[in-house]
Amino acid sequence: MQEIATKTVDCPFCGENASVALPDEGTDVRVRKSVAAFGEYTTVTCSQGHTYWVYFC
């Protein structure tokens, strides 16, 4: 059974923690308040209703 690598990120609006699944172990992430024109990412919405994007580097 393969384990899924995750990373904890903070909401850039309120600081609430969220856990995101990484495409590969050791992948760096960047949190953005807005969507960029390119790049692999996932969208996160915290319990306060803030939506932000986590990009994989």
Side-chain angles (χ1 to χ4, degrees):
M1 183 175 195
Q2 184 179 0
E3 289 187 35
I4 297 174
T6 61
K7 181 150 185 145
T8 301
V9 296
D10 297 328
C11 173
F13 300 99
C14 67
E16 182 177 298
N17 292 333
S19 182
V20 295
L22 301 176
D24 295 307
E25 189 174 328
T27 301
D28 289 329
V29 298
R30 297 201 185 243
V31 177
R32 304 273 185 193
K33 291 182 178 182
S34 59
V35 68
F38 59 90
E40 186 178 354
Y41 66 90
T42 189
T43 304
V44 179
T45 302
C46 74
S47 66
Q48 301 296 317
H50 303 125
T51 299
Y52 57 98
W53 291 262
V54 178
Y55 287 84
F56 306 114
C57 306

mmCIF file of all heavy atoms in Angstrom:
data_model
loop_
_atom_site.group_PDB
_atom_site.id
_atom_site.type_symbol
_atom_site.label_atom_id
_atom_site.label_comp_id
_atom_site.label_asym_id
_atom_site.label_seq_id
_atom_site.Cartn_x
_atom_site.Cartn_y
_atom_site.Cartn_z
ATOM 1 N N MET A 1 0.841 -1.181 0.000
ATOM 2 C CA MET A 1 0.000 0.000 0.000
ATOM 3 C C MET A 1 0.889 1.249 0.000
ATOM 4 O O MET A 1 1.769 1.394 0.835
ATOM 5 C CB MET A 1 -0.910 -0.010 1.219
ATOM 6 C CG MET A 1 -1.853 1.118 1.278
ATOM 7 S SD MET A 1 -2.947 0.882 2.691
ATOM 8 C CE MET A 1 -4.163 2.042 2.284
ATOM 9 N N GLN A 2 0.656 2.133 -0.925
ATOM 10 C CA GLN A 2 1.463 3.343 -1.054
ATOM 11 C C GLN A 2 0.871 4.462 -0.212
ATOM 12 O O GLN A 2 -0.329 4.714 -0.249
ATOM 13 C CB GLN A 2 1.517 3.765 -2.514
ATOM 14 C CG GLN A 2 2.393 4.954 -2.761
ATOM 15 C CD GLN A 2 2.431 5.323 -4.242
ATOM 16 O OE1 GLN A 2 1.804 4.700 -5.061
ATOM 17 N NE2 GLN A 2 3.169 6.351 -4.554
ATOM 18 N N GLU A 3 1.726 5.134 0.559
ATOM 19 C CA GLU A 3 1.274 6.273 1.357
ATOM 20 C C GLU A 3 1.253 7.530 0.496
ATOM 21 O O GLU A 3 2.087 7.708 -0.375
ATOM 22 C CB GLU A 3 2.211 6.495 2.543
ATOM 23 C CG GLU A 3 2.088 5.434 3.606
ATOM 24 C CD GLU A 3 2.909 5.772 4.833
ATOM 25 O OE1 GLU A 3 3.007 6.967 5.169
ATOM 26 O OE2 GLU A 3 3.448 4.845 5.433
ATOM 27 N N ILE A 4 0.290 8.385 0.747
ATOM 28 C CA ILE A 4 0.180 9.645 0.023
ATOM 29 C C ILE A 4 0.908 10.723 0.819
ATOM 30 O O ILE A 4 0.657 10.905 2.005
ATOM 31 C CB ILE A 4 -1.289 10.036 -0.177
ATOM 32 C CG1 ILE A 4 -1.989 8.988 -1.041
ATOM 33 C CG2 ILE A 4 -1.408 11.409 -0.814
ATOM 34 C CD1 ILE A 4 -3.468 9.203 -1.183
ATOM 35 N N ALA A 5 1.822 11.419 0.151
ATOM 36 C CA ALA A 5 2.553 12.505 0.800
ATOM 37 C C ALA A 5 1.638 13.715 0.922
ATOM 38 O O ALA A 5 0.902 14.050 -0.014
ATOM 39 C CB ALA A 5 3.796 12.861 -0.007
ATOM 40 N N THR A 6 1.649 14.355 2.086
ATOM 41 C CA THR A 6 0.838 15.548 2.309
ATOM 42 C C THR A 6 1.695 16.652 2.905
ATOM 43 O O THR A 6 2.778 16.399 3.426
ATOM 44 C CB THR A 6 -0.345 15.278 3.250
ATOM 45 O OG1 THR A 6 0.158 14.858 4.510
ATOM 46 C CG2 THR A 6 -1.291 14.237 2.691
ATOM 47 N N LYS A 7 1.189 17.850 2.823
ATOM 48 C CA LYS A 7 1.861 19.006 3.419
ATOM 49 C C LYS A 7 0.793 19.911 4.017
ATOM 50 O O LYS A 7 -0.270 20.090 3.439
ATOM 51 C CB LYS A 7 2.668 19.760 2.378
ATOM 52 C CG LYS A 7 3.412 20.945 2.945
ATOM 53 C CD LYS A 7 4.671 21.209 2.202
ATOM 54 C CE LYS A 7 5.410 22.318 2.897
ATOM 55 N NZ LYS A 7 6.814 22.150 2.834
ATOM 56 N N THR A 8 1.096 20.486 5.172
ATOM 57 C CA THR A 8 0.190 21.433 5.810
ATOM 58 C C THR A 8 0.497 22.832 5.300
ATOM 59 O O THR A 8 1.653 23.249 5.266
ATOM 60 C CB THR A 8 0.338 21.383 7.335
ATOM 61 O OG1 THR A 8 0.050 20.054 7.775
ATOM 62 C CG2 THR A 8 -0.618 22.342 8.015
ATOM 63 N N VAL A 9 -0.548 23.540 4.875
ATOM 64 C CA VAL A 9 -0.408 24.925 4.402
ATOM 65 C C VAL A 9 -1.349 25.805 5.203
ATOM 66 O O VAL A 9 -2.317 25.334 5.786
ATOM 67 C CB VAL A 9 -0.706 25.047 2.889
ATOM 68 C CG1 VAL A 9 0.292 24.271 2.064
ATOM 69 C CG2 VAL A 9 -2.120 24.613 2.568
ATOM 70 N N ASP A 10 -1.060 27.092 5.238
ATOM 71 C CA ASP A 10 -1.884 28.066 5.950
ATOM 72 C C ASP A 10 -2.673 28.907 4.956
ATOM 73 O O ASP A 10 -2.125 29.342 3.934
ATOM 74 C CB ASP A 10 -1.012 29.008 6.795
ATOM 75 C CG ASP A 10 -0.258 28.278 7.879
ATOM 76 O OD1 ASP A 10 -0.773 27.274 8.401
ATOM 77 O OD2 ASP A 10 0.857 28.726 8.212
ATOM 78 N N CYS A 11 -3.931 29.166 5.276
ATOM 79 C CA CYS A 11 -4.758 30.055 4.469
ATOM 80 C C CYS A 11 -4.115 31.444 4.493
ATOM 81 O O CYS A 11 -3.814 31.964 5.570
ATOM 82 C CB CYS A 11 -6.180 30.114 5.036
ATOM 83 S SG CYS A 11 -7.234 31.336 4.218
ATOM 84 N N PRO A 12 -3.876 32.062 3.322
ATOM 85 C CA PRO A 12 -3.252 33.388 3.295
ATOM 86 C C PRO A 12 -4.179 34.501 3.799
ATOM 87 O O PRO A 12 -3.730 35.619 4.019
ATOM 88 C CB PRO A 12 -2.898 33.583 1.819
ATOM 89 C CG PRO A 12 -3.871 32.727 1.086
ATOM 90 C CD PRO A 12 -4.148 31.552 1.977
ATOM 91 N N PHE A 13 -5.444 34.209 3.989
ATOM 92 C CA PHE A 13 -6.397 35.207 4.452
ATOM 93 C C PHE A 13 -6.577 35.186 5.968
ATOM 94 O O PHE A 13 -6.615 36.227 6.606
ATOM 95 C CB PHE A 13 -7.759 35.008 3.774
ATOM 96 C CG PHE A 13 -7.700 35.126 2.270
ATOM 97 C CD1 PHE A 13 -7.641 33.990 1.480
ATOM 98 C CD2 PHE A 13 -7.690 36.359 1.657
ATOM 99 C CE1 PHE A 13 -7.591 34.094 0.105
ATOM 100 C CE2 PHE A 13 -7.638 36.474 0.276
ATOM 101 C CZ PHE A 13 -7.578 35.335 -0.496
ATOM 102 N N CYS A 14 -6.716 33.974 6.547
ATOM 103 C CA CYS A 14 -7.002 33.876 7.980
ATOM 104 C C CYS A 14 -6.006 33.027 8.765
ATOM 105 O O CYS A 14 -6.063 32.996 9.988
ATOM 106 C CB CYS A 14 -8.420 33.341 8.198
ATOM 107 S SG CYS A 14 -8.652 31.624 7.687
ATOM 108 N N GLY A 15 -5.109 32.305 8.087
ATOM 109 C CA GLY A 15 -4.098 31.509 8.771
ATOM 110 C C GLY A 15 -4.539 30.117 9.160
ATOM 111 O O GLY A 15 -3.761 29.364 9.753
ATOM 112 N N GLU A 16 -5.756 29.708 8.833
ATOM 113 C CA GLU A 16 -6.236 28.362 9.162
ATOM 114 C C GLU A 16 -5.426 27.318 8.402
ATOM 115 O O GLU A 16 -5.099 27.493 7.236
ATOM 116 C CB GLU A 16 -7.710 28.250 8.793
ATOM 117 C CG GLU A 16 -8.311 26.905 9.141
ATOM 118 C CD GLU A 16 -9.783 26.857 8.828
ATOM 119 O OE1 GLU A 16 -10.531 27.642 9.437
ATOM 120 O OE2 GLU A 16 -10.169 26.038 7.978
ATOM 121 N N ASN A 17 -5.107 26.197 9.065
ATOM 122 C CA ASN A 17 -4.322 25.128 8.460
ATOM 123 C C ASN A 17 -5.178 24.233 7.576
ATOM 124 O O ASN A 17 -6.340 23.981 7.876
ATOM 125 C CB ASN A 17 -3.687 24.256 9.532
ATOM 126 C CG ASN A 17 -2.619 24.975 10.302
ATOM 127 O OD1 ASN A 17 -1.982 25.890 9.806
ATOM 128 N ND2 ASN A 17 -2.416 24.575 11.528
ATOM 129 N N ALA A 18 -4.564 23.738 6.504
ATOM 130 C CA ALA A 18 -5.184 22.746 5.628
ATOM 131 C C ALA A 18 -4.099 21.769 5.203
ATOM 132 O O ALA A 18 -2.923 22.120 5.118
ATOM 133 C CB ALA A 18 -5.798 23.398 4.408
ATOM 134 N N SER A 19 -4.478 20.549 4.958
ATOM 135 C CA SER A 19 -3.544 19.528 4.499
ATOM 136 C C SER A 19 -3.836 19.251 3.031
ATOM 137 O O SER A 19 -4.986 19.009 2.660
ATOM 138 C CB SER A 19 -3.720 18.266 5.337
ATOM 139 O OG SER A 19 -2.797 17.293 4.942
ATOM 140 N N VAL A 20 -2.795 19.296 2.184
ATOM 141 C CA VAL A 20 -2.968 19.032 0.757
ATOM 142 C C VAL A 20 -2.118 17.831 0.366
ATOM 143 O O VAL A 20 -1.019 17.628 0.888
ATOM 144 C CB VAL A 20 -2.597 20.256 -0.112
ATOM 145 C CG1 VAL A 20 -3.527 21.415 0.128
ATOM 146 C CG2 VAL A 20 -1.168 20.678 0.110
ATOM 147 N N ALA A 21 -2.642 17.032 -0.551
ATOM 148 C CA ALA A 21 -1.906 15.883 -1.079
ATOM 149 C C ALA A 21 -0.908 16.375 -2.115
ATOM 150 O O ALA A 21 -1.222 17.219 -2.949
ATOM 151 C CB ALA A 21 -2.874 14.885 -1.703
ATOM 152 N N LEU A 22 0.307 15.850 -2.056
ATOM 153 C CA LEU A 22 1.363 16.241 -2.983
ATOM 154 C C LEU A 22 1.451 15.237 -4.123
ATOM 155 O O LEU A 22 1.227 14.040 -3.914
ATOM 156 C CB LEU A 22 2.710 16.280 -2.257
ATOM 157 C CG LEU A 22 2.813 17.238 -1.072
ATOM 158 C CD1 LEU A 22 4.176 17.075 -0.403
ATOM 159 C CD2 LEU A 22 2.598 18.667 -1.510
ATOM 160 N N PRO A 23 1.805 15.686 -5.339
ATOM 161 C CA PRO A 23 1.955 14.754 -6.458
ATOM 162 C C PRO A 23 3.139 13.802 -6.253
ATOM 163 O O PRO A 23 3.085 12.656 -6.682
ATOM 164 C CB PRO A 23 2.152 15.651 -7.670
ATOM 165 C CG PRO A 23 2.522 16.987 -7.137
ATOM 166 C CD PRO A 23 1.998 17.069 -5.747
ATOM 167 N N ASP A 24 4.191 14.275 -5.599
ATOM 168 C CA ASP A 24 5.377 13.478 -5.305
ATOM 169 C C ASP A 24 5.929 13.897 -3.956
ATOM 170 O O ASP A 24 5.852 15.072 -3.592
ATOM 171 C CB ASP A 24 6.475 13.699 -6.360
ATOM 172 C CG ASP A 24 6.069 13.204 -7.733
ATOM 173 O OD1 ASP A 24 5.657 12.036 -7.836
ATOM 174 O OD2 ASP A 24 6.155 13.999 -8.682
ATOM 175 N N GLU A 25 6.513 12.941 -3.238
ATOM 176 C CA GLU A 25 7.145 13.271 -1.961
ATOM 177 C C GLU A 25 8.304 14.230 -2.214
ATOM 178 O O GLU A 25 9.028 14.098 -3.188
ATOM 179 C CB GLU A 25 7.675 11.999 -1.297
ATOM 180 C CG GLU A 25 8.147 12.212 0.116
ATOM 181 C CD GLU A 25 8.526 10.920 0.804
ATOM 182 O OE1 GLU A 25 7.917 9.893 0.508
ATOM 183 O OE2 GLU A 25 9.441 10.971 1.636
ATOM 184 N N GLY A 26 8.453 15.235 -1.381
ATOM 185 C CA GLY A 26 9.528 16.206 -1.535
ATOM 186 C C GLY A 26 9.162 17.383 -2.419
ATOM 187 O O GLY A 26 9.996 18.250 -2.672
ATOM 188 N N THR A 27 7.925 17.440 -2.907
ATOM 189 C CA THR A 27 7.478 18.553 -3.735
ATOM 190 C C THR A 27 7.314 19.801 -2.866
ATOM 191 O O THR A 27 6.741 19.740 -1.791
ATOM 192 C CB THR A 27 6.123 18.224 -4.398
ATOM 193 O OG1 THR A 27 6.269 17.059 -5.198
ATOM 194 C CG2 THR A 27 5.624 19.375 -5.247
ATOM 195 N N ASP A 28 7.841 20.915 -3.336
ATOM 196 C CA ASP A 28 7.650 22.190 -2.644
ATOM 197 C C ASP A 28 6.323 22.799 -3.083
ATOM 198 O O ASP A 28 5.838 22.526 -4.183
ATOM 199 C CB ASP A 28 8.780 23.170 -2.971
ATOM 200 C CG ASP A 28 10.099 22.763 -2.331
ATOM 201 O OD1 ASP A 28 10.067 22.149 -1.250
ATOM 202 O OD2 ASP A 28 11.151 23.064 -2.914
ATOM 203 N N VAL A 29 5.737 23.612 -2.213
ATOM 204 C CA VAL A 29 4.470 24.262 -2.544
ATOM 205 C C VAL A 29 4.565 25.760 -2.343
ATOM 206 O O VAL A 29 5.387 26.247 -1.571
ATOM 207 C CB VAL A 29 3.299 23.701 -1.695
ATOM 208 C CG1 VAL A 29 3.092 22.230 -1.969
ATOM 209 C CG2 VAL A 29 3.494 23.945 -0.229
ATOM 210 N N ARG A 30 3.714 26.478 -3.053
ATOM 211 C CA ARG A 30 3.568 27.927 -2.901
ATOM 212 C C ARG A 30 2.084 28.232 -2.813
ATOM 213 O O ARG A 30 1.308 27.781 -3.644
ATOM 214 C CB ARG A 30 4.183 28.677 -4.067
ATOM 215 C CG ARG A 30 5.669 28.460 -4.160
ATOM 216 C CD ARG A 30 6.322 29.545 -4.945
ATOM 217 N NE ARG A 30 7.727 29.200 -5.094
ATOM 218 C CZ ARG A 30 8.698 29.923 -4.588
ATOM 219 N NH1 ARG A 30 8.422 31.019 -3.937
ATOM 220 N NH2 ARG A 30 9.940 29.567 -4.755
ATOM 221 N N VAL A 31 1.714 28.998 -1.808
ATOM 222 C CA VAL A 31 0.316 29.371 -1.601
ATOM 223 C C VAL A 31 0.075 30.726 -2.252
ATOM 224 O O VAL A 31 0.844 31.658 -2.052
ATOM 225 C CB VAL A 31 -0.019 29.415 -0.092
ATOM 226 C CG1 VAL A 31 -1.443 29.863 0.136
ATOM 227 C CG2 VAL A 31 0.229 28.053 0.549
ATOM 228 N N ARG A 32 -1.006 30.828 -3.035
ATOM 229 C CA ARG A 32 -1.344 32.068 -3.728
ATOM 230 C C ARG A 32 -2.797 32.449 -3.440
ATOM 231 O O ARG A 32 -3.651 31.586 -3.307
ATOM 232 C CB ARG A 32 -1.198 31.890 -5.244
ATOM 233 C CG ARG A 32 0.165 31.428 -5.682
ATOM 234 C CD ARG A 32 1.057 32.565 -5.889
ATOM 235 N NE ARG A 32 2.328 32.078 -6.420
ATOM 236 C CZ ARG A 32 3.393 32.785 -6.487
ATOM 237 N NH1 ARG A 32 3.364 34.038 -6.079
ATOM 238 N NH2 ARG A 32 4.501 32.299 -6.963
ATOM 239 N N LYS A 33 -3.051 33.752 -3.396
ATOM 240 C CA LYS A 33 -4.421 34.245 -3.206
ATOM 241 C C LYS A 33 -5.211 34.255 -4.497
ATOM 242 O O LYS A 33 -6.427 34.414 -4.476
ATOM 243 C CB LYS A 33 -4.393 35.664 -2.630
ATOM 244 C CG LYS A 33 -3.898 35.733 -1.214
ATOM 245 C CD LYS A 33 -3.955 37.165 -0.716
ATOM 246 C CE LYS A 33 -3.520 37.284 0.713
ATOM 247 N NZ LYS A 33 -3.609 38.665 1.205
ATOM 248 N N SER A 34 -4.533 34.120 -5.640
ATOM 249 C CA SER A 34 -5.222 34.133 -6.924
ATOM 250 C C SER A 34 -4.618 33.072 -7.834
ATOM 251 O O SER A 34 -3.492 32.625 -7.628
ATOM 252 C CB SER A 34 -5.121 35.508 -7.582
ATOM 253 O OG SER A 34 -3.769 35.856 -7.786
ATOM 254 N N VAL A 35 -5.373 32.691 -8.846
ATOM 255 C CA VAL A 35 -4.942 31.661 -9.774
ATOM 256 C C VAL A 35 -3.950 32.260 -10.772
ATOM 257 O O VAL A 35 -4.076 33.417 -11.166
ATOM 258 C CB VAL A 35 -6.158 31.007 -10.479
ATOM 259 C CG1 VAL A 35 -6.844 31.977 -11.403
ATOM 260 C CG2 VAL A 35 -5.769 29.738 -11.184
ATOM 261 N N ALA A 36 -2.947 31.469 -11.139
ATOM 262 C CA ALA A 36 -1.943 31.900 -12.120
ATOM 263 C C ALA A 36 -2.291 31.314 -13.487
ATOM 264 O O ALA A 36 -3.133 30.422 -13.601
ATOM 265 C CB ALA A 36 -0.550 31.446 -11.684
ATOM 266 N N ALA A 37 -1.628 31.801 -14.506
ATOM 267 C CA ALA A 37 -1.916 31.374 -15.875
ATOM 268 C C ALA A 37 -1.420 29.963 -16.172
ATOM 269 O O ALA A 37 -1.897 29.320 -17.103
ATOM 270 C CB ALA A 37 -1.293 32.354 -16.857
ATOM 271 N N PHE A 38 -0.462 29.459 -15.403
ATOM 272 C CA PHE A 38 0.091 28.144 -15.683
ATOM 273 C C PHE A 38 0.597 27.501 -14.397
ATOM 274 O O PHE A 38 0.712 28.158 -13.377
ATOM 275 C CB PHE A 38 1.229 28.244 -16.706
ATOM 276 C CG PHE A 38 2.349 29.131 -16.244
ATOM 277 C CD1 PHE A 38 3.410 28.621 -15.517
ATOM 278 C CD2 PHE A 38 2.346 30.497 -16.525
ATOM 279 C CE1 PHE A 38 4.440 29.452 -15.076
ATOM 280 C CE2 PHE A 38 3.368 31.325 -16.098
ATOM 281 C CZ PHE A 38 4.418 30.799 -15.381
ATOM 282 N N GLY A 39 0.896 26.220 -14.489
ATOM 283 C CA GLY A 39 1.449 25.486 -13.360
ATOM 284 C C GLY A 39 0.461 24.480 -12.795
ATOM 285 O O GLY A 39 -0.751 24.608 -12.939
ATOM 286 N N GLU A 40 0.997 23.453 -12.155
ATOM 287 C CA GLU A 40 0.176 22.426 -11.525
ATOM 288 C C GLU A 40 -0.234 22.907 -10.141
ATOM 289 O O GLU A 40 0.598 23.365 -9.370
ATOM 290 C CB GLU A 40 0.979 21.125 -11.420
ATOM 291 C CG GLU A 40 0.174 19.971 -10.912
ATOM 292 C CD GLU A 40 0.968 18.679 -10.846
ATOM 293 O OE1 GLU A 40 2.122 18.646 -11.305
ATOM 294 O OE2 GLU A 40 0.425 17.711 -10.308
ATOM 295 N N TYR A 41 -1.515 22.813 -9.823
ATOM 296 C CA TYR A 41 -2.012 23.357 -8.563
ATOM 297 C C TYR A 41 -3.233 22.588 -8.083
ATOM 298 O O TYR A 41 -3.815 21.788 -8.814
ATOM 299 C CB TYR A 41 -2.366 24.832 -8.715
ATOM 300 C CG TYR A 41 -3.521 25.097 -9.643
ATOM 301 C CD1 TYR A 41 -4.829 25.129 -9.166
ATOM 302 C CD2 TYR A 41 -3.317 25.289 -11.003
ATOM 303 C CE1 TYR A 41 -5.893 25.363 -10.013
ATOM 304 C CE2 TYR A 41 -4.375 25.519 -11.857
ATOM 305 C CZ TYR A 41 -5.653 25.555 -11.361
ATOM 306 O OH TYR A 41 -6.712 25.776 -12.208
ATOM 307 N N THR A 42 -3.631 22.878 -6.864
ATOM 308 C CA THR A 42 -4.902 22.421 -6.317
ATOM 309 C C THR A 42 -5.579 23.619 -5.673
ATOM 310 O O THR A 42 -4.909 24.566 -5.261
ATOM 311 C CB THR A 42 -4.711 21.267 -5.310
ATOM 312 O OG1 THR A 42 -5.990 20.733 -4.966
ATOM 313 C CG2 THR A 42 -3.993 21.717 -4.052
ATOM 314 N N THR A 43 -6.892 23.601 -5.635
ATOM 315 C CA THR A 43 -7.669 24.678 -5.032
ATOM 316 C C THR A 43 -8.122 24.243 -3.650
ATOM 317 O O THR A 43 -8.573 23.116 -3.468
ATOM 318 C CB THR A 43 -8.890 25.017 -5.902
ATOM 319 O OG1 THR A 43 -8.446 25.331 -7.215
ATOM 320 C CG2 THR A 43 -9.648 26.204 -5.353
ATOM 321 N N VAL A 44 -7.996 25.138 -2.670
ATOM 322 C CA VAL A 44 -8.376 24.845 -1.287
ATOM 323 C C VAL A 44 -9.382 25.910 -0.838
ATOM 324 O O VAL A 44 -9.220 27.087 -1.151
ATOM 325 C CB VAL A 44 -7.142 24.879 -0.357
ATOM 326 C CG1 VAL A 44 -7.536 24.608 1.080
ATOM 327 C CG2 VAL A 44 -6.077 23.900 -0.827
ATOM 328 N N THR A 45 -10.413 25.486 -0.119
ATOM 329 C CA THR A 45 -11.354 26.407 0.518
ATOM 330 C C THR A 45 -11.385 26.074 1.999
ATOM 331 O O THR A 45 -11.687 24.945 2.376
ATOM 332 C CB THR A 45 -12.767 26.294 -0.078
ATOM 333 O OG1 THR A 45 -12.692 26.551 -1.480
ATOM 334 C CG2 THR A 45 -13.715 27.288 0.562
ATOM 335 N N CYS A 46 -11.034 27.052 2.846
ATOM 336 C CA CYS A 46 -11.004 26.828 4.291
ATOM 337 C C CYS A 46 -12.425 26.909 4.855
ATOM 338 O O CYS A 46 -13.371 27.280 4.160
ATOM 339 C CB CYS A 46 -10.070 27.816 4.979
ATOM 340 S SG CYS A 46 -10.691 29.499 5.112
ATOM 341 N N SER A 47 -12.574 26.586 6.128
ATOM 342 C CA SER A 47 -13.897 26.591 6.755
ATOM 343 C C SER A 47 -14.489 27.992 6.878
ATOM 344 O O SER A 47 -15.692 28.147 7.083
ATOM 345 C CB SER A 47 -13.835 25.931 8.133
ATOM 346 O OG SER A 47 -13.037 26.702 9.008
ATOM 347 N N GLN A 48 -13.663 29.028 6.709
ATOM 348 C CA GLN A 48 -14.137 30.408 6.738
ATOM 349 C C GLN A 48 -14.640 30.869 5.362
ATOM 350 O O GLN A 48 -15.074 32.009 5.210
ATOM 351 C CB GLN A 48 -13.015 31.346 7.209
ATOM 352 C CG GLN A 48 -12.481 31.032 8.589
ATOM 353 C CD GLN A 48 -13.539 31.213 9.657
ATOM 354 O OE1 GLN A 48 -14.300 32.191 9.659
ATOM 355 N NE2 GLN A 48 -13.628 30.281 10.575
ATOM 356 N N GLY A 49 -14.524 29.988 4.358
ATOM 357 C CA GLY A 49 -15.005 30.298 3.013
ATOM 358 C C GLY A 49 -13.981 30.940 2.103
ATOM 359 O O GLY A 49 -14.313 31.338 0.990
ATOM 360 N N HIS A 50 -12.733 31.044 2.539
ATOM 361 C CA HIS A 50 -11.681 31.626 1.702
ATOM 362 C C HIS A 50 -11.171 30.572 0.714
ATOM 363 O O HIS A 50 -10.863 29.455 1.112
ATOM 364 C CB HIS A 50 -10.498 32.101 2.560
ATOM 365 C CG HIS A 50 -10.880 33.085 3.604
ATOM 366 N ND1 HIS A 50 -10.593 32.901 4.934
ATOM 367 C CD2 HIS A 50 -11.528 34.265 3.516
ATOM 368 C CE1 HIS A 50 -11.045 33.937 5.622
ATOM 369 N NE2 HIS A 50 -11.625 34.777 4.778
ATOM 370 N N THR A 51 -11.083 30.942 -0.550
ATOM 371 C CA THR A 51 -10.536 30.053 -1.569
ATOM 372 C C THR A 51 -9.156 30.558 -1.948
ATOM 373 O O THR A 51 -8.947 31.746 -2.170
ATOM 374 C CB THR A 51 -11.444 30.030 -2.811
ATOM 375 O OG1 THR A 51 -12.729 29.532 -2.411
ATOM 376 C CG2 THR A 51 -10.877 29.139 -3.901
ATOM 377 N N TYR A 52 -8.205 29.603 -2.027
ATOM 378 C CA TYR A 52 -6.846 29.943 -2.436
ATOM 379 C C TYR A 52 -6.243 28.774 -3.190
ATOM 380 O O TYR A 52 -6.812 27.689 -3.239
ATOM 381 C CB TYR A 52 -5.981 30.364 -1.238
ATOM 382 C CG TYR A 52 -5.880 29.348 -0.117
ATOM 383 C CD1 TYR A 52 -4.792 28.500 -0.027
ATOM 384 C CD2 TYR A 52 -6.865 29.250 0.860
ATOM 385 C CE1 TYR A 52 -4.680 27.571 0.999
ATOM 386 C CE2 TYR A 52 -6.764 28.343 1.888
ATOM 387 C CZ TYR A 52 -5.678 27.508 1.952
ATOM 388 O OH TYR A 52 -5.566 26.585 2.973
ATOM 389 N N TRP A 53 -5.111 29.007 -3.838
ATOM 390 C CA TRP A 53 -4.495 28.021 -4.703
ATOM 391 C C TRP A 53 -3.136 27.621 -4.146
ATOM 392 O O TRP A 53 -2.367 28.459 -3.685
ATOM 393 C CB TRP A 53 -4.339 28.609 -6.101
ATOM 394 C CG TRP A 53 -5.658 28.791 -6.756
ATOM 395 C CD1 TRP A 53 -6.245 27.943 -7.651
ATOM 396 C CD2 TRP A 53 -6.594 29.851 -6.571
ATOM 397 N NE1 TRP A 53 -7.485 28.414 -8.023
ATOM 398 C CE2 TRP A 53 -7.727 29.594 -7.364
ATOM 399 C CE3 TRP A 53 -6.604 30.997 -5.789
ATOM 400 C CZ2 TRP A 53 -8.827 30.429 -7.410
ATOM 401 C CZ3 TRP A 53 -7.698 31.836 -5.832
ATOM 402 C CH2 TRP A 53 -8.786 31.552 -6.645
ATOM 403 N N VAL A 54 -2.849 26.323 -4.211
ATOM 404 C CA VAL A 54 -1.567 25.782 -3.778
ATOM 405 C C VAL A 54 -0.885 25.223 -5.011
ATOM 406 O O VAL A 54 -1.380 24.282 -5.641
ATOM 407 C CB VAL A 54 -1.739 24.692 -2.704
ATOM 408 C CG1 VAL A 54 -0.390 24.118 -2.302
ATOM 409 C CG2 VAL A 54 -2.479 25.255 -1.477
ATOM 410 N N TYR A 55 0.248 25.817 -5.381
ATOM 411 C CA TYR A 55 1.015 25.416 -6.568
ATOM 412 C C TYR A 55 2.145 24.494 -6.172
ATOM 413 O O TYR A 55 2.793 24.686 -5.159
ATOM 414 C CB TYR A 55 1.571 26.644 -7.296
ATOM 415 C CG TYR A 55 0.493 27.386 -8.015
ATOM 416 C CD1 TYR A 55 -0.294 28.311 -7.357
ATOM 417 C CD2 TYR A 55 0.222 27.096 -9.344
ATOM 418 C CE1 TYR A 55 -1.322 28.958 -8.017
ATOM 419 C CE2 TYR A 55 -0.812 27.749 -10.011
ATOM 420 C CZ TYR A 55 -1.575 28.673 -9.336
ATOM 421 O OH TYR A 55 -2.595 29.307 -9.972
ATOM 422 N N PHE A 56 2.377 23.474 -7.018
ATOM 423 C CA PHE A 56 3.441 22.494 -6.782
ATOM 424 C C PHE A 56 4.660 22.888 -7.597
ATOM 425 O O PHE A 56 4.568 23.100 -8.802
ATOM 426 C CB PHE A 56 2.961 21.100 -7.165
ATOM 427 C CG PHE A 56 1.683 20.713 -6.482
ATOM 428 C CD1 PHE A 56 0.510 20.521 -7.195
ATOM 429 C CD2 PHE A 56 1.641 20.562 -5.096
ATOM 430 C CE1 PHE A 56 -0.661 20.161 -6.561
ATOM 431 C CE2 PHE A 56 0.464 20.209 -4.446
ATOM 432 C CZ PHE A 56 -0.688 20.007 -5.185
ATOM 433 N N CYS A 57 5.804 22.983 -6.914
ATOM 434 C CA CYS A 57 7.052 23.393 -7.573
ATOM 435 C C CYS A 57 7.994 22.213 -7.711
ATOM 436 O O CYS A 57 8.069 21.386 -6.861
ATOM 437 C CB CYS A 57 7.740 24.480 -6.761
ATOM 438 S SG CYS A 57 6.694 25.881 -6.413
#
